[in-house]
Amino acid sequence: MKLSELSLGPGEKLDGAELERRFDRGMTGRGIEICYDEDDQRYLRLFSSETGPYADDVTGGQFTYIGEGRTGDQTLTAGNKYLANAIDAPLPIFFFHRGSGDDRWEYQGKVEVLRCEKGPFDSSDRDVFRFTLQRRRDAREQVDPVEAGADLASPERIESTRSRIIRNTQQALDLKEQYSYTCQVCGARRRRTVDQGYAEAHHLKPLGKPHEGPDVRANLLVLCPDHHADFDYGTIAVDPDTLTISHAYEQSLDGTTLHLREDHELDGTHLEYHNRNIAQF
């Protein structure tokens, strides 16, 4: 799936199977999902539920979304970190909400992150992240006429410059083909069609700030969507010397060896960087 080809309109309701069909990836059960499209463009899927632990109120053009983590103080890791980073480095964020008694997710449109604050949750002694989100008004998305009326006055405008990283997508595609779209962690090969495989490329040392990793083969892995998410969430690590895999909860993988072709030389410093700065166990 390419984001540019995704057909999805606000108000559509989708179950888990339909979400997987549209995005070519299943649900992880997390409120904040880190995803990649066919061109390895990162995007987020956000899920909110009236019956969830935080009973998010998603009415209005701006609303508050509580971050991930149901026990103890929430930390600025995994999905929380990517959502906070989107304040300064925007990326596509697809927002879904499920009402009480509904078993499907309603697509609410794309959102952008305005603010991130941390503080106590209600009367508990837990600290949580509160993200202020704002609905985006893409040309193809519907606009609430009542909400639009509040915006008749011309807002103050400022000029800004935004930079983005230009990825070498052909390099990633070539590497995927060399591995026949097979995950270097688990050996699974997903199919996009009967004849076409599907895999995702992962930068061990991420390209964006604050990591500033290089876009080179020695910093790339070919992974299935599940284990790509595990690298992003920090639940997997790889020993730079032995290539032994450590997994936070998947015992069948813990102690196995990362598959590495002879013509694919990984830079051990990038593995060390991932283990030290991103792995969370």
Side-chain angles (χ1 to χ4, degrees), residues 4-275:
S4 59
E5 300 173 354
L6 178 64
S7 177
L8 186 64
E12 288 192 59
K13 291 190 174 183
L14 305 90
D15 60 16
E18 182 63 15
L19 273 166
E20 181 171 4
R21 189 185 72 80
R22 295 286 186 94
F23 287 90
D24 197 24
R25 63 179 301 128
M27 298 179 64
T28 64
R30 290 177 175 267
I32 307 171
E33 293 187 343
I34 307 164
C35 310
Y36 297 82
D37 76 349
E38 184 177 337
D39 293 328
D40 295 318
Q41 178 180 347
R42 182 185 293 129
Y43 65 95
L44 302 180
R45 296 195 305 192
L46 262 58
F47 296 91
S48 162
S49 174
E50 286 184 7
T51 58
Y54 302 116
D56 299 301
D57 180 2
V58 300
T59 58
Q62 290 185 14
F63 58 95
T64 299
Y65 181 84
I66 304 297
E68 288 185 325
R70 299 189 182 189
T71 59
D73 291 343
Q74 292 184 351
T75 59
L76 198 59
T77 56
N80 291 335
K81 178 183 69 174
Y82 281 88
L83 200 55
N85 288 345
I87 298 173
D88 297 319
L91 77 171
I93 304 175
F94 298 86
F95 185 68
F96 297 87
H97 181 68
R98 184 169 62 187
S100 177
D102 198 343
D103 60 355
R104 296 178 299 168
W105 297 94
E106 180 179 347
Y107 177 51
Q108 301 275 311
K110 291 180 184 175
V111 297
E112 56 187 349
V113 187
L114 301 183
R115 293 183 296 279
C116 173
E117 300 170 319
K118 189 175 184 181
F121 178 65
D122 293 341
S123 59
S124 71
D125 57 357
R126 295 182 58 218
D127 280 346
V128 300
F129 288 101
R130 288 179 171 83
F131 296 95
T132 301
L133 305 183
Q134 178 170 281
R135 301 176 191 278
R136 287 183 51 184
R137 291 176 179 168
D138 293 345
R140 293 179 297 175
E141 297 185 352
Q142 301 170 354
V143 178
D144 187 324
V146 175
E147 183 183 327
D151 293 332
L152 292 177
S154 298
E156 180 183 356
R157 298 179 181 273
I158 60 171
E159 291 188 2
S160 64
T161 301
R162 180 180 296 173
S163 62
R164 66 185 181 92
I165 298 168
I166 305 299
R167 296 169 181 253
N168 186 343
T169 55
Q170 186 59 50
Q171 173 179 253
L173 178 60
D174 290 344
L175 194 62
K176 292 177 191 177
E177 291 179 345
Q178 287 179 334
Y179 279 95
S180 299
Y181 296 88
T182 299
C183 178
Q184 290 181 248
V185 170
C186 66
R189 184 180 189 272
R190 292 189 56 169
R191 294 183 181 274
R192 185 185 305 280
T193 65
V194 174
D195 301 318
Q196 186 179 10
Y198 176 75
E200 298 175 351
H202 173 72
H203 290 85
L204 289 164
K205 185 176 183 180
L207 302 186
K209 296 180 179 179
H211 310 287
E212 305 290 1
D215 189 15
V216 295
R217 284 171 55 94
N219 191 33
L220 280 173
L221 290 179
V222 175
L223 303 169
C224 67
D226 287 346
H227 291 123
H228 194 172
D230 284 349
F231 268 95
D232 281 334
Y233 286 122
T235 59
I236 193 169
V238 180
D239 185 280
D241 298 320
T242 65
L243 300 184
T244 300
I245 296 171
S246 298
H247 201 287
Y249 59 85
E250 198 168 344
Q251 294 183 356
S252 62
L253 283 179
D254 202 39
T256 61
T257 303
L258 182 77
H259 174 57
L260 190 66
R261 290 171 54 97
E262 291 184 358
D263 56 359
H264 180 201
E265 184 176 350
L266 279 182
D267 188 331
T269 61
H270 301 325
L271 284 169
E272 290 175 354
Y273 186 91
H274 168 84
N275 296 344

